Amino acid sequence: MLVSSGDGETRVAIIDDGQVTELYFDRKFKKSIVGNIYVGRVENVLPSLDAAFVDIGEEKNAFLYINEVVLDMDFEESEEMPKKIQHILKPNQLVVVQVTKDPLKSKGARLTTFISSPGRYLVLAPFNDGIGVSRKLSDIERDNLRQIAKEIKPKNCGIIVRTAAKLADKNTLKRDLKQLLKTWSIIQKKISKTFKPALISNEQPIVLRLLRDLFSEDFKAIHVDNREIKKEIARYFGNIGVKFSNINFYYGPDDLFEAFNVNEVIDSAIERKVWLKSGGFIIIDYGEALTSIDVNTGKYTSSKNAAETILRTNLEAAEAISNQLRLRDIGGLIVIDFIDMASEKDRQKVLEKFKQCLDKDKTRNEVLNFSKFGLLEMTRKNVSDGIIGTLCKPCPCCSGTGFVKSEETIKYDIERKIKTLAAKNAEKAFFIKLNTQIACQVIGQGGRNLRSLENLTKKHLIIKGDDNLPMDELIVAAKGSYKDVEDASKPFKIGDCLELLVEETYLHNSEDALARIDGYIIQIIGGKKYMGKRVTVEIKNISKTSAVAEIIKF
């Protein structure tokens, strides 16, 4: 596991056998709310949809479907009286809900009233009374853990035994359950004192959440580039009784993700085309209703017959597609158009290979058989926006049919490049040119972000915008001493003669005027009477952002 954390963003990558298999992003202004518990107020009940909109205090009302509503003990469902939303929920009614899916595009969050509180080994279900055991365990392990669960289960609560409990004993499970019951008791007290839409319980930070849900004995190392997060991880392992010492603090000159070639994988994960090793490729298109994936032989040609070429390409594509589903966190309805195979035997080989690859995916999915048109349909639980929704925004140039990196993403990329540049060079100062929009973000309001970057890198940085530069371009225009860079960053020097357009009156002296060049403001002495005209001036004095000039020709 790689954990890279900077101002405003935490990134996590899972690397399995040298391959990046999963990516997670958590941003200060775009945090996931999945797992959060709220007191909500029912806004609208929609009998035609058997659902309700619930105000949970977020920007958009959330959506609660009938099957996610816990029935009151007094309400008995029967064939004559089936469960209907209007019989259970009323407008302005307060309900305790938990988010199961983040807001996606124009849709609000998805909710459930079947509250669950996950721990390392168990999940507490306060409004249930059953016992569940992970299906990923063997039959013997499941039977053993089910028996322990029966012995420790509290009354009027359900528990689910997680895959991580595979090697846990009864005392370990009891300790986990005790902590969950304590947490639920605190939540209940907050609920009893809340009479309007409000957040009751936050899900854990992304790193601890992933350790809780993903960590197993298969993990060999955790690399972290933030000392505080490293301490949090060590503290978390201590609290749950896990002995894992291979937590490494990364302090190399390169960005952590760059050192492990993860940035390259991130860039490829937002591309439409994914090349296969054989020379074939897959195309991934995101639609409103579904995601379509098309398989092509591309440059691959086999020395054997066409059927063999098609089968080999489809088998390779099956593995690549399963990897991309996890890497990009693609959810919802997915339709895959493998290359058409005439043989039913070949189709079954591809289907079996695909299902086998999907066994590694911890997100719930369901795959159907090939349709009569040769398409493979599947669903994968959709919880987040995926990597595209997180890192990109709809392209304004193509009305949303394609994607480009957002300014925020480019800003973080540029900052990481500047940190690497500073770490690899002994020079004290750098003059850097960026696209104007990105330069504004890197500098920040009042130069606050730039000062923070200078303090972090221990370098003097001058950032200037250029409208003609691409959004992700970074040009080191000069480097060296403080004076070298200051001189290089100025578009002129004392004594230079320039032809300028007199633009406006100088407020502090009504006889003078102003002109601009490369972001510099130039005060032209006695320039008011030449307003709107071009004049030749000589530079007399220069400060950091402005200059004074005298007219020598008009």
Side-chain angles (χ1 to χ4, degrees):
M1 178 183 284
L2 308 181
V3 182
S4 179
S5 182
D7 291 339
E9 182 186 47
T10 298
R11 303 179 298 164
V12 182
I14 307 298
I15 300 179
D16 186 4
D17 196 24
Q19 181 179 9
V20 180
T21 57
E22 296 174 55
L23 291 165
Y24 301 90
F25 302 86
D26 186 54
R27 289 183 170 175
K28 187 176 181 180
F29 300 108
K30 196 175 182 180
K31 285 185 174 294
S32 171
I33 61 172
V34 172
N36 287 2
I37 298 173
Y38 295 83
V39 166
R41 175 178 285 117
V42 178
E43 288 286 306
N44 307 99
V45 176
L46 308 173
S48 59
L49 297 178
D50 244 352
F53 284 108
V54 180
D55 176 12
I56 58 173
E58 296 289 336
E59 184 179 348
K60 297 175 184 174
N61 285 342
F63 189 77
L64 178 61
Y65 188 60
I66 183 65
N67 287 347
E68 297 293 342
V69 179
V70 176
L71 291 180
D72 263 339
M73 298 303 291
D74 297 333
F75 184 90
E76 292 185 7
E77 184 180 9
S78 65
E79 290 183 7
E80 296 77 20
M81 185 72 167
K83 184 165 69 170
K84 292 290 183 181
I85 196 78
Q86 63 269 31
H87 300 151
I88 306 166
L89 297 178
K90 304 295 180 185
N92 294 319
Q93 180 180 341
L94 293 178
V95 287
V96 180
V97 291
Q98 189 169 32
V99 177
T100 59
K101 185 187 294 186
D102 278 321
L104 301 177
K105 298 177 182 177
S106 61
K107 300 175 182 176
R110 286 284 294 271
L111 303 175
T112 184
T113 62
F114 292 93
I115 308 298
S116 62
S117 180
R120 171 63 183 155
Y121 305 106
L122 301 173
V123 177
L124 181 69
F127 299 131
N128 207 326
D129 197 34
I131 293 175
V133 182
S134 170
R135 294 184 180 277
K136 294 185 178 181
L137 299 171
S138 68
D139 290 342
I140 295 175
E141 290 167 338
R142 294 183 75 230
D143 289 342
N144 180 46
L145 289 169
R146 186 180 295 277
Q147 182 57 43
I148 295 175
K150 286 180 180 177
E151 295 172 11
I152 66 173
K153 189 184 86 67
K155 292 181 179 180
N156 302 323
C157 272
I159 55 174
I160 300 168
V161 184
R162 310 186 74 181
T163 309
K166 179 178 180 178
L167 302 176
D169 57 21
K170 184 176 180 179
N171 287 334
T172 301
L173 297 185
K174 284 177 71 175
R175 187 167 60 246
D176 199 36
L177 179 60
K178 182 180 179 181
Q179 183 59 47
L180 289 174
L181 289 170
K182 180 181 177 182
T183 301
W184 177 241
S185 176
I186 295 170
I187 291 172
Q188 281 182 305
K189 289 178 182 177
K190 287 185 179 179
I191 291 171
S192 66
K193 298 175 182 177
T194 305
F195 304 100
K196 62 180 182 179
L199 173 65
I200 298 298
S201 174
N202 253 325
E203 176 59 292
Q204 285 186 315
I206 185 171
V207 177
L208 300 186
R209 186 169 74 244
L210 292 175
L211 288 174
R212 181 193 69 200
D213 296 340
L214 300 180
F215 185 81
S216 69
E217 64 273 11
D218 296 329
F219 276 78
K220 300 297 186 294
I222 298 174
H223 299 277
V224 188
D225 63 6
N226 182 297
R227 293 189 185 277
E228 285 304 312
I229 291 181
K230 182 177 182 292
K231 290 177 184 177
E232 282 184 22
I233 293 172
R235 192 159 48 242
Y236 171 76
F237 282 139
N239 290 340
I240 64 173
V242 170
K243 294 181 180 179
F244 186 81
S245 58
N246 201 5
I247 309 170
N248 305 310
F249 178 72
Y250 176 81
Y251 50 86
D254 285 319
D255 167 64
L256 173 61
F257 272 35
E258 191 67 40
F260 284 83
N261 298 318
V262 180
N263 286 334
E264 184 180 341
V265 175
I266 294 173
D267 288 338
S268 66
I270 61 178
E271 295 291 334
R272 185 168 173 258
K273 180 183 288 188
V274 178
W275 286 98
L276 305 175
K277 292 178 182 178
S278 64
F281 62 88
I282 61 176
I283 296 290
I284 303 174
D285 284 316
Y286 301 90
E288 190 70 24
L290 55 84
T291 299
S292 65
I293 302 176
D294 185 43
V295 182
N296 299 272
T297 54
K299 297 178 286 187
Y300 175 58
T301 54
S302 172
S303 57
K304 300 181 181 180
N305 59 35
E308 178 68 14
T309 299
I310 291 170
L311 177 59
R312 287 176 63 87
T313 304
N314 281 341
L315 288 172
E316 187 180 354
E319 183 174 359
I321 291 168
S322 68
N323 291 338
Q324 290 296 319
L325 294 179
R326 294 171 64 193
L327 188 65
R328 301 176 184 227
D329 195 18
I330 299 173
L333 179 60
I334 302 159
V335 177
I336 305 169
D337 185 10
F338 284 101
I339 304 167
D340 190 37
M341 296 168 283
S343 166
E344 178 61 29
K345 184 179 178 181
D346 286 353
R347 283 195 290 270
Q348 286 306 308
K349 283 183 180 178
V350 172
L351 181 59
E352 289 170 11
K353 172 73 172 179
F354 187 52
K355 288 182 175 179
Q356 179 186 345
C357 293
L358 286 176
D359 284 343
K360 300 176 184 177
D361 193 350
K362 291 180 172 61
T363 301
R364 189 170 68 246
N365 58 70
E366 181 181 358
V367 182
L368 302 181
N369 289 321
F370 279 95
S371 72
K372 67 178 183 179
F373 297 116
L375 300 175
L376 193 66
E377 297 175 24
M378 68 171 291
T379 59
R380 187 173 182 272
K381 188 178 179 182
N382 195 342
V383 175
S384 72
D385 267 339
I387 193 169
I388 290 291
T390 302
L391 300 187
C392 303
K393 66 176 185 178
C395 175
C397 300
C398 60
S399 302
T401 58
F403 294 89
V404 295
K405 283 186 178 180
S406 68
E407 288 88 351
E408 184 184 22
T409 298
I410 296 174
K411 174 209 167 196
Y412 288 128
D413 286 345
I414 293 293
E415 287 179 346
R416 284 190 284 270
K417 288 178 181 177
I418 291 173
K419 291 173 187 175
T420 300
L421 176 72
K424 288 185 173 181
N425 289 271
E427 285 83 2
K428 299 295 183 183
F430 297 87
F431 172 36
I432 296 169
K433 290 185 177 181
L434 305 172
N435 175 276
T436 303
Q437 290 186 54
I438 304 304
C440 289
Q441 293 216 14
V442 172
I443 293 170
Q445 189 174 8
R448 187 181 306 156
N449 197 59
L450 180 59
R451 287 194 294 273
S452 175
L453 202 55
E454 286 181 320
N455 290 336
L456 194 64
T457 59
K458 303 294 188 293
K459 306 287 184 181
H460 176 62
L461 303 173
I462 296 178
I463 307 289
K464 285 200 174 178
D466 185 343
D467 289 334
N468 296 318
L469 288 179
M471 295 287 283
D472 57 352
E473 187 75 34
L474 181 151
I475 295 176
V476 180
K479 60 182 179 179
S481 68
Y482 182 97
K483 185 178 184 307
D484 291 339
V485 170
E486 283 285 338
D487 291 343
S489 68
K490 294 167 184 173
F492 41 72
K493 59 183 181 294
I494 294 175
D496 280 354
C497 295
L498 307 171
E499 184 178 329
L500 301 174
L501 174 66
V502 182
E503 297 178 11
E504 61 184 89
T505 303
Y506 184 49
L507 292 177
H508 302 293
N509 189 327
S510 60
E511 297 303 315
D512 295 351
L514 297 179
R516 290 179 177 82
I517 180 169
D518 287 352
Y520 268 81
I521 297 173
I522 302 174
Q523 178 187 350
I524 302 173
I525 297 172
K528 179 183 177 182
K529 54 187 174 184
Y530 302 106
M531 195 72 64
K533 296 179 181 179
R534 301 192 72 84
V535 296
T536 302
V537 301
E538 181 180 352
I539 302 297
K540 294 295 184 179
N541 186 29
I542 301 175
S543 66
K544 191 169 185 179
T545 59
S546 63
V548 178
E550 288 182 352
I551 297 173
I552 58 175
K553 186 178 179 182
F554 53 90

